[in-house]
Amino acid sequence: MLSQRLTRVALVTGAAQGIGKAIALRLASDGLKIALNDIQSKGDQLEFIAEEIKKSYGSEVCVFPGDVSEERDVENMVETVSKSLGSLDVMVANAGISGSLTSILETSKYLSKEQWDDVLRVNSKGVFLCYKYAAKQMVAQGRSGGRIIGASSVAGKQGMTHTSAYTASKFAVRGITQVAALEFGQYGITVNAYAPGAIESSMCAFGPSFTPRDIPDVHETAQAANLSASPVGKAFSNSLPSFSTLGKTGDIAGLVSYLASQESGYITGQTISINGGMYFD
């Protein structure tokens, strides 16, 4: 039997920056072949990360731009990855957006119906499509051990002010993950999600001027210097216990590394909090 290091393939969506990039780098360091996905406009960033992976880890890596909210894009991506790299063993449905962060009473001004739909389409439908087509491919491969992992949030565990669309989308990920775990378990596939809290990044701070396609995810927008500059940031800041700090993208990548491993086979249907103690399940 070929070793896990030589045979397993991981597809990471939303991999152009932040948590997605950290996950891709970590899984490459674990010895997996890596497929990188993000929207078309971030193709150059994906190519740069691909070169970094090749130079740092010698891993086989491919880039597959596409929109996870478009069914044809996801279907084609999974099919192409499987043919190009030989299989699909780990799907990390990381791609997500926060949209404009505003109170429900101000959504008419800052969050249009189209923007609301965009958040749900990317964060919930996108995860659903990635789960669906990854599982179909894993079942077709005829071997157990598939790992499907999605991105939820602390906002998917407990509602937060000014995040109605985002919170709804991340609660949905938890439900989809549980249903998929029940349905895919018979094929030896586990399905789990991670729920980050405030994760440090070089992105800008929270604010109502954000548009859905401008920023990847609420977790990517936290900065230690200005976390409390907005209502959402204040909610994050006030929820952190005195001993805690902002997390690092590598913290999330480490959890995903374990969930993607063969050793995690007895864990399924879970949305695991990784938030420095800001919220207890």
Side-chain angles (χ1 to χ4, degrees), residues 52-74:
E52 182 178 353
I53 288 173
K54 290 176 185 177
K55 291 178 181 179
S56 298
Y57 307 110
S59 303
E60 190 172 350
V61 57
C62 296
V63 170
F64 300 94
D67 186 341
V68 297
S69 70
E70 295 292 336
E71 185 158 13
R72 180 169 295 181
D73 281 12
V74 177

PDB file of all heavy atoms in Angstrom, residues 52-74:
ATOM      1  N   GLU A  52       5.102  28.847  -3.622  1.00  0.00           N
ATOM      2  CA  GLU A  52       5.625  28.747  -2.257  1.00  0.00           C
ATOM      3  C   GLU A  52       5.562  27.312  -1.761  1.00  0.00           C
ATOM      4  O   GLU A  52       6.507  26.810  -1.125  1.00  0.00           O
ATOM      5  CB  GLU A  52       4.823  29.670  -1.340  1.00  0.00           C
ATOM      6  CG  GLU A  52       5.302  29.680   0.097  1.00  0.00           C
ATOM      7  CD  GLU A  52       4.519  30.634   0.983  1.00  0.00           C
ATOM      8  OE1 GLU A  52       3.679  31.393   0.446  1.00  0.00           O
ATOM      9  OE2 GLU A  52       4.728  30.606   2.207  1.00  0.00           O
ATOM     10  N   ILE A  53       4.460  26.628  -2.046  1.00  0.00           N
ATOM     11  CA  ILE A  53       4.308  25.232  -1.617  1.00  0.00           C
ATOM     12  C   ILE A  53       5.332  24.345  -2.311  1.00  0.00           C
ATOM     13  O   ILE A  53       5.974  23.492  -1.674  1.00  0.00           O
ATOM     14  CB  ILE A  53       2.876  24.750  -1.900  1.00  0.00           C
ATOM     15  CG1 ILE A  53       1.899  25.412  -0.918  1.00  0.00           C
ATOM     16  CG2 ILE A  53       2.779  23.230  -1.804  1.00  0.00           C
ATOM     17  CD1 ILE A  53       0.440  25.130  -1.214  1.00  0.00           C
ATOM     18  N   LYS A  54       5.516  24.542  -3.602  1.00  0.00           N
ATOM     19  CA  LYS A  54       6.485  23.725  -4.351  1.00  0.00           C
ATOM     20  C   LYS A  54       7.893  23.905  -3.802  1.00  0.00           C
ATOM     21  O   LYS A  54       8.635  22.940  -3.611  1.00  0.00           O
ATOM     22  CB  LYS A  54       6.438  24.102  -5.826  1.00  0.00           C
ATOM     23  CG  LYS A  54       5.166  23.686  -6.542  1.00  0.00           C
ATOM     24  CD  LYS A  54       5.166  24.194  -7.973  1.00  0.00           C
ATOM     25  CE  LYS A  54       3.856  23.905  -8.678  1.00  0.00           C
ATOM     26  NZ  LYS A  54       3.834  24.472 -10.057  1.00  0.00           N
ATOM     27  N   LYS A  55       8.269  25.159  -3.553  1.00  0.00           N
ATOM     28  CA  LYS A  55       9.623  25.447  -3.085  1.00  0.00           C
ATOM     29  C   LYS A  55       9.842  24.982  -1.647  1.00  0.00           C
ATOM     30  O   LYS A  55      10.914  24.476  -1.299  1.00  0.00           O
ATOM     31  CB  LYS A  55       9.904  26.944  -3.200  1.00  0.00           C
ATOM     32  CG  LYS A  55      10.011  27.447  -4.631  1.00  0.00           C
ATOM     33  CD  LYS A  55      10.234  28.951  -4.679  1.00  0.00           C
ATOM     34  CE  LYS A  55      10.324  29.452  -6.113  1.00  0.00           C
ATOM     35  NZ  LYS A  55      10.510  30.927  -6.174  1.00  0.00           N
ATOM     36  N   SER A  56       8.840  25.159  -0.812  1.00  0.00           N
ATOM     37  CA  SER A  56       9.008  24.855   0.613  1.00  0.00           C
ATOM     38  C   SER A  56       8.847  23.373   0.930  1.00  0.00           C
ATOM     39  O   SER A  56       9.536  22.843   1.820  1.00  0.00           O
ATOM     40  CB  SER A  56       8.005  25.657   1.437  1.00  0.00           C
ATOM     41  OG  SER A  56       8.214  27.041   1.304  1.00  0.00           O
ATOM     42  N   TYR A  57       7.938  22.690   0.229  1.00  0.00           N
ATOM     43  CA  TYR A  57       7.596  21.327   0.604  1.00  0.00           C
ATOM     44  C   TYR A  57       7.770  20.312  -0.525  1.00  0.00           C
ATOM     45  O   TYR A  57       7.662  19.118  -0.270  1.00  0.00           O
ATOM     46  CB  TYR A  57       6.154  21.277   1.116  1.00  0.00           C
ATOM     47  CG  TYR A  57       5.895  22.272   2.217  1.00  0.00           C
ATOM     48  CD1 TYR A  57       5.084  23.384   2.010  1.00  0.00           C
ATOM     49  CD2 TYR A  57       6.478  22.116   3.473  1.00  0.00           C
ATOM     50  CE1 TYR A  57       4.843  24.307   3.017  1.00  0.00           C
ATOM     51  CE2 TYR A  57       6.257  23.041   4.481  1.00  0.00           C
ATOM     52  CZ  TYR A  57       5.443  24.135   4.248  1.00  0.00           C
ATOM     53  OH  TYR A  57       5.231  25.036   5.238  1.00  0.00           O
ATOM     54  N   GLY A  58       7.991  20.774  -1.729  1.00  0.00           N
ATOM     55  CA  GLY A  58       8.139  19.858  -2.854  1.00  0.00           C
ATOM     56  C   GLY A  58       6.869  19.127  -3.204  1.00  0.00           C
ATOM     57  O   GLY A  58       6.889  18.104  -3.890  1.00  0.00           O
ATOM     58  N   SER A  59       5.745  19.652  -2.746  1.00  0.00           N
ATOM     59  CA  SER A  59       4.463  18.986  -2.973  1.00  0.00           C
ATOM     60  C   SER A  59       3.956  19.251  -4.383  1.00  0.00           C
ATOM     61  O   SER A  59       4.204  20.314  -4.960  1.00  0.00           O
ATOM     62  CB  SER A  59       3.414  19.483  -1.974  1.00  0.00           C
ATOM     63  OG  SER A  59       3.834  19.282  -0.651  1.00  0.00           O
ATOM     64  N   GLU A  60       3.230  18.297  -4.906  1.00  0.00           N
ATOM     65  CA  GLU A  60       2.517  18.519  -6.161  1.00  0.00           C
ATOM     66  C   GLU A  60       1.327  19.421  -5.859  1.00  0.00           C
ATOM     67  O   GLU A  60       0.569  19.177  -4.920  1.00  0.00           O
ATOM     68  CB  GLU A  60       2.049  17.199  -6.750  1.00  0.00           C
ATOM     69  CG  GLU A  60       1.511  17.315  -8.166  1.00  0.00           C
ATOM     70  CD  GLU A  60       1.223  15.976  -8.805  1.00  0.00           C
ATOM     71  OE1 GLU A  60       1.616  14.940  -8.221  1.00  0.00           O
ATOM     72  OE2 GLU A  60       0.590  15.970  -9.880  1.00  0.00           O
ATOM     73  N   VAL A  61       1.155  20.484  -6.630  1.00  0.00           N
ATOM     74  CA  VAL A  61       0.117  21.469  -6.340  1.00  0.00           C
ATOM     75  C   VAL A  61      -0.464  22.003  -7.633  1.00  0.00           C
ATOM     76  O   VAL A  61       0.252  22.176  -8.622  1.00  0.00           O
ATOM     77  CB  VAL A  61       0.673  22.615  -5.459  1.00  0.00           C
ATOM     78  CG1 VAL A  61       1.854  23.295  -6.115  1.00  0.00           C
ATOM     79  CG2 VAL A  61      -0.406  23.624  -5.116  1.00  0.00           C
ATOM     80  N   CYS A  62      -1.770  22.241  -7.632  1.00  0.00           N
ATOM     81  CA  CYS A  62      -2.465  22.778  -8.793  1.00  0.00           C
ATOM     82  C   CYS A  62      -3.401  23.896  -8.343  1.00  0.00           C
ATOM     83  O   CYS A  62      -3.847  23.924  -7.198  1.00  0.00           O
ATOM     84  CB  CYS A  62      -3.267  21.693  -9.510  1.00  0.00           C
ATOM     85  SG  CYS A  62      -2.269  20.379 -10.228  1.00  0.00           S
ATOM     86  N   VAL A  63      -3.700  24.801  -9.265  1.00  0.00           N
ATOM     87  CA  VAL A  63      -4.574  25.937  -9.000  1.00  0.00           C
ATOM     88  C   VAL A  63      -5.850  25.799  -9.815  1.00  0.00           C
ATOM     89  O   VAL A  63      -5.783  25.549 -11.033  1.00  0.00           O
ATOM     90  CB  VAL A  63      -3.858  27.258  -9.335  1.00  0.00           C
ATOM     91  CG1 VAL A  63      -4.821  28.431  -9.290  1.00  0.00           C
ATOM     92  CG2 VAL A  63      -2.688  27.483  -8.384  1.00  0.00           C
ATOM     93  N   PHE A  64      -6.998  25.967  -9.150  1.00  0.00           N
ATOM     94  CA  PHE A  64      -8.289  25.830  -9.810  1.00  0.00           C
ATOM     95  C   PHE A  64      -9.224  26.965  -9.390  1.00  0.00           C
ATOM     96  O   PHE A  64     -10.030  26.809  -8.476  1.00  0.00           O
ATOM     97  CB  PHE A  64      -8.926  24.482  -9.473  1.00  0.00           C
ATOM     98  CG  PHE A  64      -8.112  23.306  -9.896  1.00  0.00           C
ATOM     99  CD1 PHE A  64      -7.232  22.704  -9.009  1.00  0.00           C
ATOM    100  CD2 PHE A  64      -8.190  22.817 -11.183  1.00  0.00           C
ATOM    101  CE1 PHE A  64      -6.464  21.627  -9.391  1.00  0.00           C
ATOM    102  CE2 PHE A  64      -7.421  21.740 -11.581  1.00  0.00           C
ATOM    103  CZ  PHE A  64      -6.552  21.140 -10.689  1.00  0.00           C
ATOM    104  N   PRO A  65      -9.124  28.130 -10.030  1.00  0.00           N
ATOM    105  CA  PRO A  65     -10.023  29.234  -9.691  1.00  0.00           C
ATOM    106  C   PRO A  65     -11.474  28.868  -9.989  1.00  0.00           C
ATOM    107  O   PRO A  65     -11.765  28.089 -10.907  1.00  0.00           O
ATOM    108  CB  PRO A  65      -9.552  30.369 -10.603  1.00  0.00           C
ATOM    109  CG  PRO A  65      -8.171  29.988 -11.026  1.00  0.00           C
ATOM    110  CD  PRO A  65      -8.183  28.487 -11.098  1.00  0.00           C
ATOM    111  N   GLY A  66     -12.384  29.424  -9.226  1.00  0.00           N
ATOM    112  CA  GLY A  66     -13.797  29.170  -9.450  1.00  0.00           C
ATOM    113  C   GLY A  66     -14.615  29.704  -8.298  1.00  0.00           C
ATOM    114  O   GLY A  66     -14.090  30.016  -7.222  1.00  0.00           O
ATOM    115  N   ASP A  67     -15.905  29.798  -8.507  1.00  0.00           N
ATOM    116  CA  ASP A  67     -16.841  30.333  -7.528  1.00  0.00           C
ATOM    117  C   ASP A  67     -17.557  29.171  -6.851  1.00  0.00           C
ATOM    118  O   ASP A  67     -18.311  28.431  -7.494  1.00  0.00           O
ATOM    119  CB  ASP A  67     -17.847  31.242  -8.235  1.00  0.00           C
ATOM    120  CG  ASP A  67     -18.782  31.970  -7.277  1.00  0.00           C
ATOM    121  OD1 ASP A  67     -18.915  31.524  -6.125  1.00  0.00           O
ATOM    122  OD2 ASP A  67     -19.380  32.981  -7.692  1.00  0.00           O
ATOM    123  N   VAL A  68     -17.339  29.006  -5.550  1.00  0.00           N
ATOM    124  CA  VAL A  68     -17.932  27.871  -4.842  1.00  0.00           C
ATOM    125  C   VAL A  68     -19.451  27.955  -4.761  1.00  0.00           C
ATOM    126  O   VAL A  68     -20.104  26.958  -4.443  1.00  0.00           O
ATOM    127  CB  VAL A  68     -17.355  27.726  -3.418  1.00  0.00           C
ATOM    128  CG1 VAL A  68     -15.870  27.427  -3.467  1.00  0.00           C
ATOM    129  CG2 VAL A  68     -17.651  28.955  -2.566  1.00  0.00           C
ATOM    130  N   SER A  69     -20.015  29.115  -5.044  1.00  0.00           N
ATOM    131  CA  SER A  69     -21.471  29.238  -5.010  1.00  0.00           C
ATOM    132  C   SER A  69     -22.122  28.839  -6.330  1.00  0.00           C
ATOM    133  O   SER A  69     -23.352  28.822  -6.436  1.00  0.00           O
ATOM    134  CB  SER A  69     -21.881  30.665  -4.646  1.00  0.00           C
ATOM    135  OG  SER A  69     -21.583  31.573  -5.686  1.00  0.00           O
ATOM    136  N   GLU A  70     -21.310  28.514  -7.332  1.00  0.00           N
ATOM    137  CA  GLU A  70     -21.808  28.079  -8.634  1.00  0.00           C
ATOM    138  C   GLU A  70     -21.618  26.574  -8.773  1.00  0.00           C
ATOM    139  O   GLU A  70     -20.493  26.073  -8.747  1.00  0.00           O
ATOM    140  CB  GLU A  70     -21.077  28.809  -9.763  1.00  0.00           C
ATOM    141  CG  GLU A  70     -21.330  30.306  -9.801  1.00  0.00           C
ATOM    142  CD  GLU A  70     -22.760  30.645 -10.177  1.00  0.00           C
ATOM    143  OE1 GLU A  70     -23.418  29.799 -10.830  1.00  0.00           O
ATOM    144  OE2 GLU A  70     -23.223  31.747  -9.813  1.00  0.00           O
ATOM    145  N   GLU A  71     -22.719  25.856  -8.918  1.00  0.00           N
ATOM    146  CA  GLU A  71     -22.651  24.392  -8.916  1.00  0.00           C
ATOM    147  C   GLU A  71     -21.739  23.851 -10.006  1.00  0.00           C
ATOM    148  O   GLU A  71     -20.953  22.932  -9.768  1.00  0.00           O
ATOM    149  CB  GLU A  71     -24.055  23.793  -9.044  1.00  0.00           C
ATOM    150  CG  GLU A  71     -24.066  22.279  -8.931  1.00  0.00           C
ATOM    151  CD  GLU A  71     -25.424  21.737  -8.537  1.00  0.00           C
ATOM    152  OE1 GLU A  71     -26.414  22.497  -8.591  1.00  0.00           O
ATOM    153  OE2 GLU A  71     -25.497  20.556  -8.159  1.00  0.00           O
ATOM    154  N   ARG A  72     -21.823  24.411 -11.202  1.00  0.00           N
ATOM    155  CA  ARG A  72     -20.985  23.912 -12.289  1.00  0.00           C
ATOM    156  C   ARG A  72     -19.508  24.111 -11.976  1.00  0.00           C
ATOM    157  O   ARG A  72     -18.684  23.240 -12.281  1.00  0.00           O
ATOM    158  CB  ARG A  72     -21.343  24.615 -13.604  1.00  0.00           C
ATOM    159  CG  ARG A  72     -20.516  24.140 -14.788  1.00  0.00           C
ATOM    160  CD  ARG A  72     -21.057  24.644 -16.107  1.00  0.00           C
ATOM    161  NE  ARG A  72     -22.380  24.084 -16.396  1.00  0.00           N
ATOM    162  CZ  ARG A  72     -23.055  24.351 -17.506  1.00  0.00           C
ATOM    163  NH1 ARG A  72     -22.560  25.172 -18.421  1.00  0.00           N
ATOM    164  NH2 ARG A  72     -24.243  23.799 -17.704  1.00  0.00           N
ATOM    165  N   ASP A  73     -19.166  25.243 -11.369  1.00  0.00           N
ATOM    166  CA  ASP A  73     -17.770  25.492 -11.006  1.00  0.00           C
ATOM    167  C   ASP A  73     -17.267  24.439 -10.025  1.00  0.00           C
ATOM    168  O   ASP A  73     -16.155  23.917 -10.167  1.00  0.00           O
ATOM    169  CB  ASP A  73     -17.608  26.878 -10.381  1.00  0.00           C
ATOM    170  CG  ASP A  73     -17.568  27.997 -11.398  1.00  0.00           C
ATOM    171  OD1 ASP A  73     -17.894  27.748 -12.574  1.00  0.00           O
ATOM    172  OD2 ASP A  73     -17.222  29.124 -11.015  1.00  0.00           O
ATOM    173  N   VAL A  74     -18.069  24.126  -9.016  1.00  0.00           N
ATOM    174  CA  VAL A  74     -17.643  23.163  -8.003  1.00  0.00           C
ATOM    175  C   VAL A  74     -17.530  21.763  -8.598  1.00  0.00           C
ATOM    176  O   VAL A  74     -16.559  21.043  -8.356  1.00  0.00           O
ATOM    177  CB  VAL A  74     -18.614  23.165  -6.809  1.00  0.00           C
ATOM    178  CG1 VAL A  74     -18.200  22.101  -5.787  1.00  0.00           C
ATOM    179  CG2 VAL A  74     -18.645  24.539  -6.153  1.00  0.00           C
TER     180      VAL A  74
END
